[in-house]
Each structure stands twice: as C-alpha cells, then as structure tokens.
Amino acid sequence: VVRTHGGIFEKNTGDGLMAYFKDGSESESAHKAVETAVTMHCYNDRVISPRLKGIGLPEIKFRVGIEAGLVTIANVGVRGDHHSLVAIGNTPNVACKLMNLIPSGGIVLGHYTRQLLSAGWQNETAELGTLPGFVIKGTETPYPAWVLKYRAPDQSALFSLYGTSL
C-alpha cells in the first residue's frame, strides 16, 4: 500500500514500520500519507480482520501517526549486512509519539500535517488533545493532535488498485 501511494519504507521493526513520502510538495506528501493510512485501515477492516475473525483469530488493530516536515534519512552502520536507514529529526519523533494518544488503533495527525490538508480532509478530523512536551514551533502553544475520523465506505476502489477479491 505504501509503495502504491509513492511512499518509501525507512524501517520495518517487525510489528511496526516507518514510511515517508518525498515526491511533490509538502501538501501532496501529506495527502499521500493520509490516503495511504486510510487505505491500510480500509483493507484491514474489510478484508484482513474479517478473514481472521472467520477462522477464530482476533482482529488486527493498528495505529498510524502522521506528521509532515523536514526529515533527514541517514545510512548508518558498516558495510555489508550491518547497516540501515534511519530517520532523524523532530518530524519522525512527533509522528511516533502521536500514536501514544490513540492506543486502541486509528489514525492521528500532527498539527502541521492537518494544516497542509484540504478543507475536505480537515473536516474529517477532531481535536484529540495535545502532544505532551511539544509546542508549535516558535510559540509556547501546546502542540495539538487530531484524530482522523474518516473510514473508507467500501473496498471496491481498493480491489481495483490491488487486484484482490474476497
């Protein structure tokens, strides 16, 4: 899903992943990240979790934290198999910490990401609270977090994108 939306994997940590979207403007990247998260949740809600439930396994719930801004991607380690890409900076740190505000799953947006989105997407958000220990750059204002309420209504668009059927 990340690759289909033009994203790049920075890290896969077993039960988590980090991706970034660098092509286009910051606004285009923010929209791609949100659309990716919505697609992932839709596919999980409509395909993966029902199949798991059908065979007696628990449904999957996962969180997505999205923040836009400057990120430095560095290649750390030594030659061979002992190196990896690492995202450095405040932006990936905020995206990760945002997820702590929604422990039961969902999509949470940082203040800057929400500002970059169209009015239609902004109308699909609700203020979640503030991110402890963070302020809006250049101010003393606590950093607001927003939950994305939107869920894709059906999977038909996903199936045409990914060639999957129930």
Side-chain angles (χ1 to χ4, degrees):
V1 175
V2 170
R3 288 187 190 120
T4 299
H5 285 87
I8 299 169
F9 287 99
E10 184 268 334
K11 183 181 292 185
N12 181 339
T13 59
D15 65 348
L17 66 90
M18 180 176 171
Y20 59 95
F21 299 82
K22 66 178 187 166
D23 293 336
S25 68
E26 280 188 318
S27 178
E28 290 168 330
S29 293
H31 279 87
K32 286 179 184 180
V34 168
E35 290 165 4
T36 299
V38 167
T39 301
M40 290 168 67
H41 272 272
C42 181
Y43 195 79
N44 182 61
D45 294 346
R46 307 285 190 262
V47 179
I48 297 170
S49 284
R51 286 185 179 176
L52 291 172
K53 190 175 179 181
I55 60 172
L57 295 173
E59 297 176 334
I60 294 174
K61 292 190 179 213
F62 61 93
R63 304 171 292 170
V64 179
I66 302 173
E67 186 57 304
L70 183 63
V71 178
T72 299
I73 304 296
N75 191 356
V76 297
V78 295
R79 282 197 222 205
D81 294 337
H82 303 290
H83 69 92
S84 63
L85 295 176
V86 177
I88 301 168
N90 197 49
T91 301
N93 190 25
V94 167
C96 183
K97 291 188 182 310
L98 285 168
M99 291 187 297
N100 292 328
L101 299 175
I102 53 168
S104 63
I107 301 167
V108 62
L109 310 175
H111 172 72
Y112 189 52
T113 295
R114 185 177 182 274
Q115 284 184 318
L116 293 169
L117 296 177
S118 65
W121 277 115
Q122 287 184 15
N123 290 337
E124 294 290 339
T125 64
E127 192 163 1
L128 187 59
T130 59
L131 189 58
F134 288 84
V135 296
I136 296 174
K137 188 174 182 176
T139 74
E140 301 279 326
T141 306
Y143 201 81
W146 301 83
V147 64
L148 184 66
K149 302 178 295 182
Y150 179 80
R151 290 296 179 266
D154 65 48
Q155 69 278 10
S156 60
L158 294 176
F159 293 151
S160 64
L161 255 180
Y162 303 108
T164 305
S165 63
L166 291 171

